[in-house]
Amino acid sequence: MVIRDITLTGKQSAAVEFTRRDHSSYNRFLENTDKGKSTCAVFLDLSKAFDTVDHKILLRKLMYYGIRGKQNSFFKSYLTNRKQCTKVNNCSSNFQTIECGVPQGSVMGPLLFLIYVNDLPCASGFQTTLFADDTSLHLSHKDIKTLQLNVQHELDKVDTWMRSNRLSINYNKTAYTILTATRSQNCNFKISMNGVRIQQTDSNKYLGVIIDNKLSWKLQISSFCGQLSQACGVVCKIRHFADMKILRLIISVSSIHICNTA
């Protein structure tokens, strides 16, 4: 009932749609490259994202999306007055009230977090991809200097949005990659957030896919083959201790795991 009401509001941003077909962003990178554009892809690293969700802000956003009255009160009851303590051996600390954050390990937690960050794409001119707390920002332009200025301007907006929503960015782990088919010099491409310079990398792993600055699949294939080799090595070592059915099961499970994570 609650999830249906969220859908019926019609106020979902493009971010939720991106989570359903995220890898289409790779095709967008290729299209921009074919048009002679360079793309700056920024991969944000949020510090304890699920633990820093502000309850009051979340409840206001739920109300904006149509969750009002008793349903909003239900979420308020679900989020507030939760307590936790730390126990080491036989010693326990006093219970403390949890002032922020959404419960992890639950079905509701990721959904509430997605609702919380759903308006992030509206805060800047970036093409934004959201999947839980994994966030990537993309911007393209034919001129590399203009691209740098535009990216910095939009990053300032994103940083302001994060502060307003009380989310913390780990600036030291946040990175960006310049995607281009040309040999244009981008060594002077520098961007920063909150006065901290963001590191530039040749490749980044996002949602299990390694995206490099040449938009090739070499690193992804290499990683995939390496994991397959390790799985085959394990099977080789235990082949004398397990029958064929067990070995086939191990190979099947390993292949599915590698395909989902590589």
Side-chain angles (χ1 to χ4, degrees):
M1 179 67 176
V2 172
I3 295 177
R4 185 184 67 183
D5 287 346
I6 294 175
T7 304
L8 288 177
T9 60
K11 295 178 180 178
Q12 292 173 306
S13 72
V16 174
E17 183 65 22
F18 263 119
T19 63
R20 300 170 183 160
R21 52 182 179 86
D22 173 71
H23 291 147
S24 64
S25 58
Y26 187 87
N27 294 329
R28 188 175 294 105
F29 295 154
L30 291 175
E31 291 175 1
N32 289 329
T33 300
D34 292 339
K35 295 177 182 178
K37 295 181 179 180
S38 296
T39 299
C40 177
V42 182
F43 303 91
L44 298 181
D45 186 277
L46 300 180
S47 300
K48 300 180 179 180
F50 282 72
D51 295 330
T52 55
V53 171
D54 186 277
H55 293 163
K56 292 182 179 180
I57 296 177
L58 175 58
L59 291 172
R60 286 200 301 268
K61 292 189 178 187
L62 284 171
M63 187 174 295
Y64 174 78
Y65 290 121
I67 307 301
R68 304 183 178 94
K70 293 182 179 180
Q71 292 176 338
N72 195 277
S73 298
F74 165 79
F75 280 106
K76 183 177 181 180
S77 175
Y78 176 71
L79 294 169
T80 56
N81 295 322
R82 302 177 70 94
K83 299 180 182 295
Q84 66 180 13
C85 72
T86 300
K87 184 176 182 180
V88 179
N89 297 326
N90 295 324
C91 298
S92 300
S93 67
N94 295 327
F95 277 91
Q96 299 291 331
T97 302
I98 302 175
E99 301 293 343
C100 60
V102 293
Q104 298 190 45
S106 64
V107 176
M108 194 66 67
L111 175 61
L112 291 175
F113 183 80
L114 272 178
I115 294 172
Y116 193 77
V117 299
N118 192 54
D119 57 308
L120 173 58
C122 303
S124 71
F126 282 115
Q127 290 179 331
T128 305
T129 304
L130 299 173
F131 190 88
D133 59 340
D134 291 320
T135 305
S136 67
L137 313 170
H138 323 127
L139 203 61
S140 302
H141 202 279
K142 289 186 176 182
D143 182 66
I144 194 71
K145 292 183 179 180
T146 302
L147 177 62
Q148 178 183 357
L149 294 174
N150 292 345
V151 168
Q152 184 60 65
H153 180 69
E154 299 304 326
L155 271 182
D156 292 339
K157 295 180 181 178
V158 171
D159 198 30
T160 299
W161 184 93
M162 290 290 180
R163 292 171 181 274
S164 299
N165 288 271
R166 300 186 178 180
L167 293 176
S168 300
I169 299 177
N170 190 332
Y171 301 112
N172 294 323
K173 291 186 178 181
T174 296
Y176 71 95
T177 300
I178 303 298
L179 311 171
T180 179
T182 64
R183 296 183 178 180
S184 60
Q185 297 294 325
N186 55 56
C187 57
N188 293 324
F189 196 102
K190 299 177 182 179
I191 55 177
S192 61
M193 298 185 74
N194 194 30
V196 180
R197 182 176 174 181
I198 305 301
Q199 63 173 330
Q200 181 178 358
T201 58
D202 292 333
S203 63
N204 273 282
K205 190 171 186 179
Y206 185 70
L207 300 182
V209 177
I210 300 177
I211 302 175
D212 61 37
N213 56 357
K214 296 180 181 179
L215 292 176
S216 70
W217 291 98
K218 292 182 179 179
L219 294 177
Q220 177 68 18
I221 294 173
S222 177
S223 175
F224 184 78
C225 291
Q227 294 184 59
L228 279 178
S229 178
Q230 291 180 359
C232 290
V234 172
V235 172
C236 183
K237 291 181 180 180
I238 66 173
R239 70 185 188 279
H240 300 298
F241 308 99
D243 58 31
M244 186 57 66
K245 290 183 178 180
I246 298 298
L247 293 177
R248 287 176 178 172
L249 178 62
I250 293 174
I251 293 174
S252 177
V253 173
S254 300
S255 299
I256 293 174
H257 174 73
I258 292 171
C259 289
N260 288 334
T261 59

